[in-house]
Every structure is written in structure tokens, then in C-alpha cells.
Amino acid sequence: MTLKLDAAQRRVLGVLIEKSRTTPGGYPLTLNALLVGCNQLTCREPLMRMTEDEAAKAARELGALGLAAEADPGRGARVERYRHTVDESLKWNEARQAVMAELLLRGPQTAGELKTNASRMATLPDLEALVGVLKEMASQDPPLVVELPRQPGKSAARFDHLLYSEERASSAAPPPAPPSDLEARVAKLESELAAMKQEIQQLRGGPPQP
């Protein structure tokens, strides 16, 4: 099953998974609690300012994809509550849920960062266990995560999820940096010098030089 989620859907799904693991007493989430989780200022990258309508719409869309559902209302319940269903529909265990929630909520991270952050949602005894989860998710068909090219000056590679719906290649290397001003000037001078050599050769009556 290939999943492609927009920014609002990713944030809502990440929050539903996170809160199911970290605050089970308040889960499933009311729409207000879901909105607060989407817009909170900690453990989020990027920060968002979603509206209630946007959060509700994303939750409904996730429901249509089989990733979320409205919880069965309790006796006397007056508000709708939402829950994720990735454990049922995608068979994600606790470790996978934790890793994906972190990537959905915070973006690309190193294995060490994921180990620290995801441990609040699942038992990950050591870095080797976390790396094992990443390898499983990267090798399945279709893959869920990818190792990104190492950034200049960084000793550890980062990992990202592959649920983006935007035209974005998470696994691709960043585009080359534009030439500096000095490089551009050198290239221009080399071009002008080559043109001058050709003109001089033509004045001498000889064949143009390459």
C-alpha cells in the first residue's frame, strides 16, 4: 500500500499516534485535543497553525484512507473522538508507530536522535534495535523510510519517511549549489580568452584553434 499524505494529514496522523502512546488516558482525542497537538510548540518541525476545520478535514481524509477512525462514543459522550488505525490497517507495531510518529512530527533525524525521541513512545533498548526498525521499514515494498545523503560536515546520516504527497524526492541528494561570484567571473574570463585566441589566429591566416 503506497501512502502519500499532505502536510495536514501527516501532522494529524503523527499526533494521533503520539498521543495514543504518551497520553493514553486522554485518547482517543477530541477535535480540540487533536488541534492542540497539531499546533503545539514542542516536538514539532515545522510549527503549524492549523484551524479546527483543517484538522477535522484531515482526520476525515485519513479515515477514508483507512488510517484513522472516529472512536465509538461512550455513554453520554457529546463530542466526537478520533483514533489512528495503523496498527490494524498497516500492522505497524509499537516501534514502527513510534519511529513514524517522530518522522511525521519532527522531520528528518539521525538514528541517534530517533532513538532518543521515539523512546518516549516505545521500548527501544539500544541504538541497534532502532537501526533494525529503520532497516525493516526501508526494505519493505513499498519502503516507508529512506536514508538521506549525509550533509556536509555531519558525521551521521539522517532518515526521513516517504509519505510525502508533494513533488519532493526525499532520497535525492540536494541540488548543487550555484557557482560563486568568483567562479562565474573566472568562467567568463576563460570564455573571453578563448574567443580572443581564435580571433588572433584568424588574423594570422591560420586555422582556428580549439
Side-chain angles (χ1 to χ4, degrees):
M1 180 179 179
T2 301
L3 295 176
K4 296 299 178 183
L5 307 178
D6 64 26
Q9 294 165 350
R10 297 195 301 269
R11 178 56 55 90
V12 167
L13 181 59
V15 169
L16 289 175
I17 297 174
E18 175 194 50
K19 300 305 181 185
S20 72
R21 308 300 309 166
T22 60
T23 57
Y27 181 83
L29 301 181
T30 64
L31 180 56
N32 182 66
L34 177 60
L35 182 62
V36 170
C38 289
N39 292 337
Q40 74 181 52
L41 302 179
T42 58
C43 305
R44 302 290 183 265
E45 179 60 40
L47 297 180
M48 297 181 73
R49 283 292 176 266
M50 292 177 63
T51 65
E52 187 173 284
D53 288 343
E54 290 170 337
K57 178 176 180 289
R60 291 194 300 270
E61 292 168 343
L62 290 171
L65 293 171
L67 303 179
E70 288 186 25
D72 295 332
R75 181 175 299 178
R78 298 182 179 180
V79 295
E80 297 175 341
R81 289 179 176 269
Y82 299 91
R83 63 183 181 90
H84 73 80
T85 58
V86 297
D87 51 342
E88 304 164 19
S89 59
L90 302 178
K91 308 303 180 185
W92 289 358
N93 59 21
E94 293 180 2
R96 287 193 175 201
Q97 289 178 41
V99 169
M100 284 303 297
E102 283 299 331
L103 293 176
L104 290 169
L105 294 174
R106 302 196 206 216
Q109 299 169 62
T110 66
E113 291 169 336
L114 280 170
K115 166 65 173 63
T116 299
N117 296 329
S119 290
R120 65 196 179 101
M121 288 183 266
T123 301
L124 297 165
D126 49 37
L127 187 60
E128 184 178 356
L130 183 280
V131 171
V133 175
L134 288 171
K135 287 182 177 179
E136 289 175 0
M137 298 173 77
S139 62
Q140 72 175 62
D141 185 23
L144 290 172
V145 302
V146 65
E147 183 176 351
L148 301 177
R150 189 168 300 176
Q151 295 178 308
K154 301 293 184 180
S155 60
R158 298 182 303 162
F159 295 83
D160 199 5
H161 68 79
L162 291 173
L163 306 190
Y164 296 100
S165 63
E166 301 91 334
E167 290 298 324
R168 169 176 177 165
S170 295
S171 60
S180 67
D181 181 62
L182 178 60
E183 291 172 333
R185 286 160 56 190
V186 170
K188 182 180 179 182
L189 288 172
E190 289 176 343
S191 177
E192 291 175 348
L193 180 60
M196 290 174 60
K197 286 182 177 180
Q198 187 174 38
E199 290 177 3
I200 292 173
Q201 191 66 33
Q202 289 174 343
L203 288 173
R204 291 177 176 175
Q209 295 294 318

